[in-house]
Amino acid sequence: MVYNPALAPLTREEIETVVSLVKSRSLIDDTGWFETITLDEPEPGPTNNDRNAYVCCYERSSNTTFQGLVSLSKNSVEEWRNVPGVQARIVPDEFTYAQEIAKADPDFQAACAKRGITDLSDLLVEAWAAGNFGVEEEEGERIAFGHCWLQNDAGDNPYGRPVANLHPVVDLRRGKLIRIDDYGVVPIPPDTKSISKQTTARQDLKELNIIQPDGPSFEVDGQEVRWQKWHVQVGFDLREGLVLHNIGYEDQGTLRPIMRRASMAEMVVPYGDPTGGNFRRNAFDTGEYGIGQATSPLTLGCDCLGHIYYFDLWSHDWNGEPVFVKNAVCMHEEDYGMLWKYTDPRRDQSSVTRSRRLVISSVATIGNYIYGFFWYFYQDGTIGTEVKATGVPLPSAIEQGRTPEYGTLVAPGIDSHIHQHVFSFRFDMAVDGTKNSLAEMNFEAVPWDDKNPHGNAILTKQTIFETEQEAQREMNLPSARYWKVINENKLNGLGQPTGYKLVPGTNALPFLHPDSPVGKRAGFMFKHLWCTPYEKNERFPAGWFPNQHAGGDGLPSWTEANRSIRNEDIVVWYTMNYHHLPRPEDWPVQPTVYAGFHWMPFGFFDENPAMDVPVSGGHAASVCCE
């Protein structure tokens, strides 16, 4: 697996080139703006070094979304087409635009006055993507559905005092308020405690320093990272955010590929309150808003601690002006406790090594929530993926004395609705090469009979899937189910196919109906595992344009072809669902919650690959007397 400089994120100059080419050829008029300018990744292959950019624009005058391909190598627009019947993502500038439209409308001002709000300067009108709920006047238009909050008195929580049942609906194309969905006045909750201005702080915390006097163990060359025996290339996509390419592990002098590409390809947050306008609370944070565009700059000592290496990145605004994101990706090493240990009681002696992991992470701020996306590389060949969620759990007001039916009372007069955070991770697999297969492992207890006289026998059943519809799977605790990606063409020293095992972690299934408006748009979330043959344009499990889409696109549509996936170039999609009923302890700011899973080598190596991990003394294993 070879480092490919053509996979490096776009530079400022390249973004400016794309904008100049599109505008100079009058491909959009003066009402047009740029949804996405990001790298168009070359097809896999060590000799493919073409440098291209994918561009998506929206033109208000014609209500048209355009897709294009710009060759940065040739300084030319290679492709340009309109995409009928779709809406581009909501971009950050439209959040501000929609709020200004709503606040300037006399009818909206009157609706606020009914609630005692005459000064709108502390009012947050957050414009959510409207989804598709069959509302006739919204069909075919570019719509934002507003939700409202008042800032707390301290000025540090824009969601501190929810304004329930007030929803301005904005036509973003025409720049006007088309209606107000007002479900009745609910008293505004009392002021919320300050987030940043502490009245008292703990005094018993001693200073904690993480030092590496000899520097870190990793090496960085451009976007390529080498650490221990790992090789990985750090990338970025304006929609997906942090992307990892060309992941491989050096084994006895040979760099063995594992994955060509790994990313979080879609994220959906459906809320479970059907009352008032709350049923419209759902967010496709990747496809409707863009994780990459929401990437936050990180600060040493706050977001990252220790000896840190940062990757800077470039984003852009809707005019195509480059936006610099300093310290967008953080990389460091962490001590991770015991790696392996063996104690010989006869000699009262232990052999032990300490574990260390490489951490590559980024953080995205999307409205009330903050998401951290963490990738871990361990010395034994394991790859870990974790999402850390914090921020303000989405609040709504409730009448005093009422008990929430679809959520939790988190503060006086504040209800926070039950919801789920559903992540779809996409892995372009390459375990020891491009031809891979997907296997499922299930375990079962043997009946208590003559063959199992002691009632302790356990059988293992492996199924290798032939087609993509066979591979649409759910977790199963009674059978301790997991999945393996294997290379049937490469055998380890024991004659077994080399492989990697996907170990599920925190998970759930959706509670909304598959035929509900959100269920139809996010059909991928009803299965924990999908597998498809590699196709360059099959990138996003809910399709390229989920904003206001009626549904059915993405994985459910692609897999209707039921293509072969055995001994093919395959992509594995894993759905992780964090089920969240907020707690009083989540207010006013939610302590970080964690959800993750692992890829572990399974027959990839002939033995424990971490037997040579040194310790501080420099020996292969520490021999200790305890």
Side-chain angles (χ1 to χ4, degrees):
M1 194 165 282
V2 180
Y3 171 71
N4 188 348
L7 291 171
L10 293 183
T11 64
R12 173 181 187 142
E13 292 74 21
E14 289 174 327
I15 293 172
E16 291 173 338
T17 296
V18 171
V19 173
S20 175
L21 287 168
V22 170
K23 288 185 174 180
S24 66
R25 285 157 177 76
S26 300
L27 298 176
I28 53 174
D29 65 21
D30 291 342
T31 69
W33 47 261
F34 293 84
E35 179 228 69
T36 299
I37 305 168
T38 197
L39 178 69
D40 182 77
E41 297 170 12
E43 292 280 13
T47 60
N48 193 345
N49 291 316
D50 291 340
R51 190 78 171 151
N52 298 316
Y54 166 81
V55 58
C56 179
C57 293
Y58 176 76
E59 190 176 77
R60 277 174 286 183
S61 62
S62 61
N63 193 26
T64 303
T65 298
F66 297 93
Q67 276 184 325
L69 180 70
V70 173
S71 170
L72 296 165
S73 305
K74 300 176 185 176
N75 201 40
S76 64
V77 179
E78 298 292 295
E79 299 174 14
W80 192 259
R81 68 185 185 97
N82 65 30
V83 189
V86 304
Q87 286 292 332
R89 286 189 299 103
I90 300 282
V91 296
D93 310 76
E94 286 185 293
F95 282 100
T96 304
Y97 181 52
Q99 176 169 254
E100 292 171 350
I101 292 169
K103 285 186 175 184
D105 187 270
D107 290 340
F108 181 72
Q109 294 170 3
C112 290
K114 283 198 309 182
R115 293 161 167 83
I117 305 170
T118 55
D119 180 1
L120 273 57
S121 59
D122 287 336
L123 181 70
L124 169 65
V125 180
E126 197 165 77
W128 286 41
N132 190 313
F133 292 87
V135 181
E136 186 175 351
E137 69 178 322
E138 298 177 9
E139 292 296 324
E141 298 298 338
R142 186 164 181 80
I143 303 297
F145 191 85
H147 302 267
C148 299
W149 294 269
L150 276 176
Q151 187 168 250
N152 64 342
D153 290 345
D156 57 8
N157 185 351
Y159 304 93
R161 304 179 71 195
V163 181
N165 291 344
L166 180 60
H167 305 282
V169 184
V170 176
D171 184 328
L172 292 168
R173 179 167 78 94
R174 296 183 177 89
K176 68 176 185 177
L177 189 73
I178 60 172
R179 71 174 191 273
I180 300 169
D181 287 355
D182 190 336
Y183 296 92
V185 175
V186 175
I188 295 173
D191 189 37
T192 294
K193 183 178 180 181
S194 170
I195 292 174
S196 59
K197 301 170 183 176
Q198 295 176 319
T199 54
T200 58
R202 299 183 187 189
Q203 303 297 316
D204 56 350
L205 283 176
K206 306 298 183 183
E207 187 174 2
L208 174 64
N209 291 317
I210 300 173
I211 59 172
Q212 292 179 274
D214 298 325
S217 301
F218 52 74
E219 298 176 3
V220 182
D221 183 6
Q223 303 295 126
E224 183 183 26
V225 176
R226 296 182 296 277
W227 178 78
Q228 298 286 286
K229 299 184 178 184
W230 285 104
H231 289 233
V232 60
Q233 186 169 342
V234 176
F236 175 76
D237 180 80
L238 196 72
R239 179 163 169 168
E240 297 166 284
L242 175 60
V243 176
L244 301 180
H245 301 279
N246 296 332
I247 300 171
Y249 192 96
E250 193 173 320
D251 182 23
Q252 300 182 33
T254 299
L255 181 58
R256 299 174 64 187
I258 300 167
M259 298 172 186
R260 280 200 305 242
R261 191 180 191 274
S263 69
M264 199 282 292
E266 188 55 270
M267 174 183 165
V268 181
V269 186
Y271 283 79
D273 187 334
T275 63
N278 297 323
F279 72 96
R280 299 195 70 154
R281 287 183 170 177
N282 65 92
F284 288 65
D285 287 317
T286 305
E288 288 180 336
Y289 306 118
I291 295 293
Q293 201 145 40
T295 298
S296 303
L298 304 175
T299 305
L300 183 63
C302 300
D303 302 288
C304 306
L305 190 63
H307 197 297
I308 306 300
Y309 185 94
Y310 289 109
F311 295 89
D312 300 329
L313 295 170
W314 285 95
S315 177
H316 63 84
D317 65 14
W318 66 347
N319 294 314
E321 288 293 325
V323 175
F324 183 57
V325 186
K326 185 176 177 59
N327 299 350
V329 176
C330 165
M331 183 172 68
H332 66 287
E333 296 173 282
E334 287 182 347
D335 181 271
Y336 200 64
M338 187 166 55
L339 176 58
W340 61 262
K341 181 174 182 176
Y342 176 71
T343 299
D344 184 346
R346 295 170 300 172
R347 296 187 296 161
D348 193 25
Q349 226 175 43
S350 293
S351 299
V352 60
T353 64
R354 289 197 66 77
S355 178
R356 189 182 299 191
R357 66 182 182 183
L358 180 71
V359 186
I360 303 175
S361 64
S362 67
V363 171
T365 301
I366 305 180
N368 55 301
Y369 264 112
I370 314 292
Y371 295 98
F373 301 95
F374 286 72
W375 297 86
Y376 302 119
F377 295 88
Y378 298 84
Q379 292 158 305
D380 66 348
T382 295
I383 302 169
T385 303
E386 186 174 60
V387 178
K388 302 180 181 182
T390 181
V392 179
L394 195 68
S396 185
I398 189 171
E399 293 89 348
Q400 293 286 346
R402 272 194 59 200
T403 299
E405 187 174 1
Y406 303 103
T408 303
L409 196 67
V410 296
I414 297 180
D415 170 19
S416 190
H417 305 149
I418 189 169
H419 58 284
Q420 297 184 311
H421 304 256
V422 187
F423 306 88
S424 177
F425 287 86
R426 180 183 182 274
F427 298 96
D428 184 355
M429 302 303 298
V431 176
D432 265 338
T434 57
K435 298 295 186 181
N436 287 173
S437 301
L438 178 67
E440 180 176 279
M441 302 296 294
N442 288 283
F443 300 83
E444 61 183 45
V446 177
W448 200 333
D449 56 20
D450 292 341
K451 286 187 176 181
N452 184 24
H454 305 291
N456 67 318
I458 303 171
L459 287 179
T460 302
K461 181 181 179 182
Q462 174 173 289
T463 303
I464 300 178
F465 298 122
E466 300 287 343
T467 66
E468 53 190 339
Q469 288 188 15
E470 292 178 9
Q472 296 175 14
R473 308 297 293 168
E474 298 172 10
M475 291 171 59
N476 188 299
L477 287 178
S479 68
R481 178 176 295 165
Y482 64 84
W483 301 280
K484 292 192 300 182
V485 173
I486 59 175
N487 189 326
E488 297 183 86
N489 311 294
K490 299 288 179 69
L491 305 181
N492 61 21
L494 299 174
Q496 306 160 336
T498 60
Y500 257 76
K501 162 186 174 180
L502 196 162
V503 185
T506 299
N507 221 320
L509 283 168
F511 283 88
L512 49 76
H513 195 280
D515 293 329
S516 66
V518 181
K520 288 191 292 187
R521 296 170 61 215
F524 71 87
M525 66 181 171
F526 294 93
K527 300 294 181 182
H528 292 123
L529 192 82
W530 303 73
C531 183
T532 58
Y534 171 82
E535 290 289 343
K536 181 181 179 181
N537 289 325
E538 293 183 1
R539 284 272 302 276
F540 307 110
W544 280 79
F545 295 99
N547 186 19
Q548 296 184 231
H549 197 277
D553 201 1
L555 278 169
S557 174
W558 306 331
T559 55
E560 288 178 359
N562 203 23
R563 297 163 292 186
S564 172
I565 57 169
R566 185 162 186 177
N567 201 27
E568 300 283 355
D569 186 356
I570 63 173
V571 175
V572 172
W573 310 74
Y574 177 68
T575 308
M576 181 177 73
N577 184 333
Y578 178 78
H579 186 79
H580 189 190
L581 174 63
R583 313 164 297 159
E585 291 87 348
D586 290 338
W587 190 261
V589 175
Q590 174 184 302
T592 299
V593 294
Y594 307 83
F597 58 97
H598 287 80
W599 286 92
M600 297 180 67
F602 195 109
F604 191 77
F605 303 103
D606 291 343
E607 63 177 13
N608 180 351
M611 294 301 294
D612 61 349
V613 173
V615 295
S616 57
H619 304 292
S622 176
V623 180
C624 310
C625 294
E626 298 181 332

